[in-house]
Amino acid sequence: MSRCKLSRVIIAKLRIVTSRKPMEFDQWFNAQLNARPIDPIRLAEPVPVSDLPTPALLLDEARFEANLARMAQWSKTTGIALRPHSKMHKCPVIAHRQLALGAAGICCAKVSEAEVMQRAGIESILITSPVVDERTITRVSELARKNAQLIVVVDHPEAVMRLEAALAQRQATLKILIDIDPGLGRTGIAPNEALLALLQMIDRDCPHLVFLGLQTYAGHCMHIPEFDKRKSKYQRALATGAEARNVVERAGYSVQLMSGGGTGSIDFEADLGILNELQAGSYAFMDIEYRDIESNNGPTFEDFSVALTVLVTLISQPKPRTVTVDAGFKSLASDKMPPQFKDVDGLNYYWGGDEHGIVALDNPSRTLQLGDKLELLTPHCDPTVNLHDYYYVVRDGYVQELWPISTRGCSQ
Amino acid sequence: MSRCKLSRVIIAKLRIVTSRKPMEFDQWFNAQLNARPIDPIRLAEPVPVSDLPTPALLLDEARFEANLARMAQWSKTTGIALRPHSKMHKCPVIAHRQLALGAAGICCAKVSEAEVMQRAGIESILITSPVVDERTITRVSELARKNAQLIVVVDHPEAVMRLEAALAQRQATLKILIDIDPGLGRTGIAPNEALLALLQMIDRDCPHLVFLGLQTYAGHCMHIPEFDKRKSKYQRALATGAEARNVVERAGYSVQLMSGGGTGSIDFEADLGILNELQAGSYAFMDIEYRDIESNNGPTFEDFSVALTVLVTLISQPKPRTVTVDAGFKSLASDKMPPQFKDVDGLNYYWGGDEHGIVALDNPSRTLQLGDKLELLTPHCDPTVNLHDYYYVVRDGYVQELWPISTRGCSQ
């Protein structure tokens, strides 16, 4: 198809989405979710990395595949199921690869993420945040009607009753986990009477909810750099999960699923023996924050290697010892430390605003020229991925495939 | 059109973009830019704000319109042309409104932004970052071929020669500004021999470049809270621009355009008399960072009112004095201070990760319930907007129109 013809077709299709004819809100909302690309784009000719428009999110395919294989092996060895968190990669292509390697399913942070993943053919989905308002409960009930494998966490009796009502109306059932707060203080309940009351209410009043077990996600422990400190804090956090399981089991209910943990807890899970499902996300790509924690094997966490970078271009040199690159807050998450350059020493990145990074030169290990392309290691992979529309998948210095970040922005 | 029929059409169109048939890279890159929606979406029925899926980016239309009118009046009164920076709003609907109120054109930070804006029918565009690599220079030359009003900044002889060659090949001309660094240290050159040499080179060797004037953007001064400190630092910064103009004029060239400044400098521009074009962006929406600077009229900057908020839902209450809302790093820019609640006192937002905010309750001015919707003032509007796909345009508590954030992610 010629370029012009292609563009005409796309614009014609576009006019439908942005039609001047008024649409119902739900119709529009569904249409924009359904319009997201989910399949890989294959390029007719491989493009050298040095020719890409920047900033570009690069995925080193060999490293990425090694990371997936390594975690699949961990799951096999420990007997702990792997349910990768798709909020990190936001990409059905990657979710399918994880499932092909034996993952038990995926996690989604929000309902709109789950809707796109389900459209992409993924059924075993756990939504890890509570859903509480009418609109979201309606959407999750619709999802449940079509997908018997869907699981959602709950942590509040009011939301549970709304969910039950919406499911009853649709004659649908939904599997649930009760969310336990292991000290993160974000969502979940304590392992006390509130937990027991919630469970009994579900058992008594909610025939459309199927209690499956508990979620206990200790995100506050994952990035503690010191190995022993991380281990002991995590152990204390998971004790809350163990206590919750006891409360549930003492009341005569069985806990089929204990879900939680992440990339930073793989060295402890098997010993602790509390979780039977790991929600790790970052292991697939890695980032500076995770790389810099101590592991079982040494001062940095090298079980997985950094596969994700942002390619940038050197666009200016305002001073002799300063250069400027074309990526700032809009291409690199800024909630953590600044990014670092890959394979070059003596370059220090400072935030230069929305679109720029200012780079101090401290005796750099290679010469630099205007127009040079450089790779940045990302500080925090999840919110960095969310700033981009596609992965440029790199093998041997060339890109021949692009993977859409289909659930970018799906936080609803 | 029925919902099903609509979805089928959209999915059919989508299959073209994500075709399994291999595409040339440029063809794909153009297709994905061309597929971005640019027109407003009109809803058949107004939706109450309290019914929206969250997080949702809300734009208070009355405040927004007042902000646009106020700045248009400023431009009229001072005689300084207004060229709003579209990197802030990323929305052709808004750019058209600014132009309708008398703006001289718009700014774009990057070439891909300019490509989408030009497709949306906007011709008077200034690209405010240097373009240096072959691919970007090719693209900007193609834009110039179709658009005689395009202006691009330059700051380096090598990039200028590449640009000249690409334009010559297409028999196109391009207007340029030389970018002067007023002490921000990001892009631009100093007002010395380098400036003169660059100018003479353009005059002598670049028949396809038309020198129009200078850009001198002092972004490092815009958010200084103390009025006098901001004024004096800005005055020193603009002195560099004045010096540059002298260098150029002494060499016998005329400076038609002096572009720079922003929302934080409107109180000084007329007095200083150096710029004849203001690149302000944030004034249209405002954010906490700008609201908290001192102005001519008082301790906060109330020339413009905050029109942009992020609507969130209260989804959990893990502890008696803590609640959790459903928006974190993926819906609110985190490069500045945390967000603040609108119209409610006694709620303090703390980052709770990618998808959550943890809210400490300090004797709140209203009672809160699970499922409540609350509005957050954004810390920094530009990178917050870049996290969303649409504005929900609010009038009297209802939304009847959505405006696409068409250049979201267009940092290339």
Side-chain angles (χ1 to χ4, degrees):
Chain A
M1 194 181 274
S2 77
R3 184 179 311 184
C4 280
K5 197 167 168 200
L6 183 87
S7 296
R8 273 201 307 276
V9 174
I10 287 164
I11 288 167
K13 167 189 117 173
L14 171 78
R15 293 288 165 195
I16 296 160
V17 183
T18 62
S19 168
R20 289 184 177 274
K21 200 173 159 189
M23 295 170 84
E24 294 297 333
F25 180 79
D26 287 331
Q27 184 188 16
W28 167 76
F29 192 80
N30 290 328
Q32 61 86 25
L33 281 186
N34 286 334
R36 289 162 178 266
I38 52 175
D39 294 326
I41 317 291
R42 293 185 223 286
L43 299 178
E45 296 289 333
V47 178
V49 165
S50 58
D51 271 7
L52 296 176
T54 62
L57 191 64
L58 305 185
L59 187 58
D60 182 311
E61 196 172 17
R63 287 174 180 229
F64 161 72
E65 281 173 351
N67 289 345
L68 293 199
R70 166 84 184 82
M71 189 61 107
Q73 186 57 48
W74 175 91
S75 175
K76 220 174 194 173
T77 309
T78 59
I80 297 171
L82 175 66
R83 186 184 285 275
H85 214 311
S86 75
K87 84 177 175 66
M88 192 283 280
H89 56 66
K90 291 184 161 287
C91 174
V93 181
I94 292 176
H96 279 298
R97 294 207 174 197
Q98 290 170 319
L99 291 166
L101 287 170
I106 62 165
C107 298
C108 289
K110 303 288 183 78
V111 177
S112 62
E113 257 179 22
E115 288 171 317
V116 176
M117 288 291 173
Q118 192 163 314
R119 177 167 68 85
I122 294 160
E123 301 244 294
S124 180
I125 296 174
L126 164 62
I127 298 176
T128 58
S129 276
V131 295
V132 304
D133 65 303
E134 280 305 333
R135 178 178 291 273
T136 317
I137 280 177
T138 300
R139 297 189 73 92
V140 86
S141 307
E142 283 293 330
L143 269 189
R145 204 170 52 77
K146 292 177 273 181
N147 179 3
Q149 291 183 63
L150 185 68
I151 314 170
V152 177
V153 306
V154 298
D155 76 352
H156 199 285
E158 266 180 54
V160 163
M161 289 314 298
R162 287 179 208 162
L163 202 49
E164 168 61 23
L167 290 160
Q169 205 189 327
R170 287 167 186 80
Q171 300 187 298
T173 57
L174 174 66
K175 295 186 174 114
I176 54 155
L177 299 183
I178 297 182
D179 191 25
I180 305 299
D181 177 13
L184 173 57
R186 191 166 73 182
T187 62
I189 57 175
N192 53 23
E193 303 74 34
L195 165 60
L196 197 59
L198 185 61
L199 182 59
Q200 287 168 340
M201 192 195 84
I202 291 167
D203 186 28
R204 191 182 56 233
D205 302 329
C206 304
H208 299 85
L209 295 178
V210 181
F211 173 73
L212 213 62
L214 305 171
Q215 168 177 278
T216 178
Y217 176 65
H220 56 310
C221 305
M222 290 297 145
H223 302 102
I224 297 171
E226 306 83 354
F227 186 84
D228 291 336
K229 202 174 150 191
R230 187 162 85 253
K231 185 174 179 177
S232 64
K233 191 165 178 185
Y234 188 69
Q235 199 157 8
R236 283 197 304 279
L238 267 211
T240 312
E243 206 183 324
R245 187 172 60 190
N246 290 340
V247 167
V248 171
E249 289 180 343
R250 273 200 308 268
Y253 301 96
S254 91
V255 175
Q256 203 177 318
L257 194 57
M258 283 290 290
S259 191
T263 300
S265 69
I266 61 162
D267 287 331
F268 327 129
E269 294 301 353
D271 284 352
L272 293 176
I274 294 169
L275 301 184
N276 59 12
E277 186 178 271
L278 189 83
Q279 299 186 353
S282 305
Y283 77 91
F285 295 168
M286 292 294 283
D287 54 30
I288 299 173
E289 194 182 20
Y290 260 124
R291 185 204 57 189
D292 288 354
I293 67 173
E294 246 182 293
S295 79
N296 239 339
N297 310 313
T300 54
F301 191 36
E302 292 174 5
D303 294 57
F304 306 101
S305 57
V306 178
L308 189 81
T309 56
V310 173
L311 187 75
V312 299
T313 301
L314 196 168
I315 61 157
S316 188
Q317 177 151 28
K319 295 179 209 168
R321 294 185 59 190
T322 304
V323 298
T324 299
V325 296
D326 61 351
F329 303 138
K330 289 183 184 167
S331 308
L332 294 152
S334 59
D335 57 296
K336 298 290 188 311
M337 64 287 280
Q340 294 171 4
F341 287 90
K342 186 184 165 190
D343 304 331
V344 197
D345 295 325
L347 304 183
N348 295 304
Y349 179 103
Y350 298 90
W351 298 110
D354 294 331
E355 306 280 6
H356 300 97
I358 298 177
V359 185
L361 307 182
D362 179 18
N363 195 21
S365 61
R366 52 163 279 198
T367 55
L368 296 172
Q369 292 194 315
L370 199 74
D372 277 359
K373 309 247 165 138
L374 298 160
E375 286 178 63
L376 285 168
L377 308 179
T378 68
H380 184 186
C381 52
D382 307 53
T384 299
V385 164
N386 189 53
L387 295 168
H388 297 262
D389 289 313
Y390 289 88
Y391 296 103
Y392 292 82
V393 183
V394 180
R395 192 169 280 277
D396 301 327
Y398 285 82
V399 170
Q400 188 148 20
E401 208 163 276
L402 309 164
W403 296 346
I405 300 171
S406 311
T407 62
R408 190 208 55 71
C410 287
S411 293
Q412 306 75 29
Chain B
M1 194 181 275
S2 77
R3 185 180 309 183
C4 280
K5 196 168 168 199
L6 183 87
S7 297
R8 274 202 306 275
V9 174
I10 286 164
I11 288 167
K13 168 188 115 173
L14 170 77
R15 294 287 166 195
I16 296 159
V17 182
T18 62
S19 169
R20 288 183 179 275
K21 200 174 159 188
M23 295 171 84
E24 293 298 333
F25 180 78
D26 287 333
Q27 184 188 15
W28 167 76
F29 193 81
N30 290 329
Q32 60 86 24
L33 280 185
N34 286 333
R36 289 164 178 265
I38 52 175
D39 295 326
I41 317 290
R42 294 186 222 284
L43 300 179
E45 296 288 333
V47 178
V49 165
S50 57
D51 271 6
L52 296 176
T54 61
L57 191 65
L58 305 185
L59 187 58
D60 181 312
E61 195 173 16
R63 286 175 181 228
F64 161 71
E65 281 173 352
N67 289 345
L68 293 199
R70 166 83 184 82
M71 189 62 107
Q73 187 56 47
W74 175 91
S75 174
K76 219 173 196 174
T77 309
T78 59
I80 298 171
L82 176 66
R83 186 184 286 274
H85 213 310
S86 75
K87 84 176 174 70
M88 191 284 280
H89 56 66
K90 292 185 161 285
C91 175
V93 180
I94 293 176
H96 280 298
R97 295 207 173 195
Q98 290 170 320
L99 292 165
L101 287 171
I106 63 166
C107 298
C108 289
K110 302 288 183 79
V111 176
S112 62
E113 257 179 23
E115 289 172 317
V116 176
M117 288 291 174
Q118 191 163 314
R119 176 166 70 84
I122 294 161
E123 301 244 295
S124 181
I125 296 173
L126 163 62
I127 297 176
T128 57
S129 277
V131 294
V132 305
D133 65 302
E134 280 305 333
R135 178 177 291 272
T136 317
I137 280 176
T138 301
R139 297 189 73 92
V140 87
S141 307
E142 282 294 329
L143 270 188
R145 205 171 51 79
K146 292 177 273 181
N147 179 3
Q149 292 182 62
L150 184 69
I151 314 171
V152 176
V153 306
V154 298
D155 75 352
H156 198 285
E158 266 178 57
V160 163
M161 289 314 297
R162 287 179 207 162
L163 202 49
E164 169 61 24
L167 290 160
Q169 205 189 327
R170 288 168 184 77
Q171 299 188 300
T173 57
L174 173 66
K175 295 185 173 116
I176 53 156
L177 299 184
I178 296 181
D179 191 24
I180 306 298
D181 177 12
L184 172 57
R186 192 165 73 183
T187 62
I189 57 175
N192 53 24
E193 303 75 32
L195 165 61
L196 198 59
L198 185 61
L199 182 59
Q200 287 168 338
M201 194 195 84
I202 291 167
D203 187 27
R204 191 183 55 232
D205 302 330
C206 304
H208 300 85
L209 294 179
V210 180
F211 173 74
L212 212 63
L214 305 171
Q215 167 176 278
T216 179
Y217 176 64
H220 56 310
C221 305
M222 290 297 146
H223 302 101
I224 298 171
E226 305 84 353
F227 186 84
D228 291 336
K229 202 175 150 190
R230 187 163 85 252
K231 184 175 180 176
S232 65
K233 192 165 179 184
Y234 187 70
Q235 199 156 7
R236 284 197 303 279
L238 267 210
T240 312
E243 206 183 322
R245 186 173 59 191
N246 290 340
V247 168
V248 171
E249 289 179 344
R250 274 200 307 268
Y253 301 96
S254 93
V255 175
Q256 203 176 317
L257 193 59
M258 282 292 287
S259 191
T263 301
S265 69
I266 61 162
D267 286 331
F268 327 128
E269 295 301 354
D271 284 354
L272 293 175
I274 294 170
L275 302 184
N276 59 12
E277 185 177 271
L278 189 83
Q279 298 186 354
S282 305
Y283 77 92
F285 295 167
M286 291 294 283
D287 54 29
I288 300 174
E289 193 181 21
Y290 260 124
R291 185 204 58 189
D292 289 353
I293 67 172
E294 248 184 293
S295 80
N296 239 339
N297 309 314
T300 55
F301 191 36
E302 292 174 5
D303 295 56
F304 306 100
S305 58
V306 178
L308 189 80
T309 55
V310 174
L311 187 74
V312 299
T313 301
L314 195 168
I315 61 157
S316 187
Q317 176 152 29
K319 296 179 211 168
R321 294 184 60 191
T322 304
V323 297
T324 299
V325 295
D326 60 351
F329 302 138
K330 288 184 184 167
S331 309
L332 293 152
S334 59
D335 58 294
K336 298 291 188 311
M337 64 287 280
Q340 294 170 4
F341 287 90
K342 185 183 166 189
D343 303 332
V344 198
D345 295 326
L347 303 183
N348 294 305
Y349 179 103
Y350 297 90
W351 298 111
D354 294 330
E355 307 280 6
H356 300 97
I358 298 177
V359 185
L361 308 182
D362 179 17
N363 196 19
S365 61
R366 52 163 278 198
T367 55
L368 296 173
Q369 291 193 316
L370 198 74
D372 277 359
K373 309 247 164 139
L374 298 160
E375 286 178 63
L376 285 168
L377 308 179
T378 67
H380 183 185
C381 53
D382 307 52
T384 299
V385 165
N386 189 54
L387 294 168
H388 297 262
D389 289 312
Y390 290 88
Y391 296 104
Y392 292 82
V393 183
V394 181
R395 193 169 280 276
D396 301 328
Y398 284 83
V399 170
Q400 189 149 19
E401 208 163 277
L402 308 165
W403 296 347
I405 300 172
S406 312
T407 63
R408 190 207 55 71
C410 286
S411 292
Q412 305 76 29

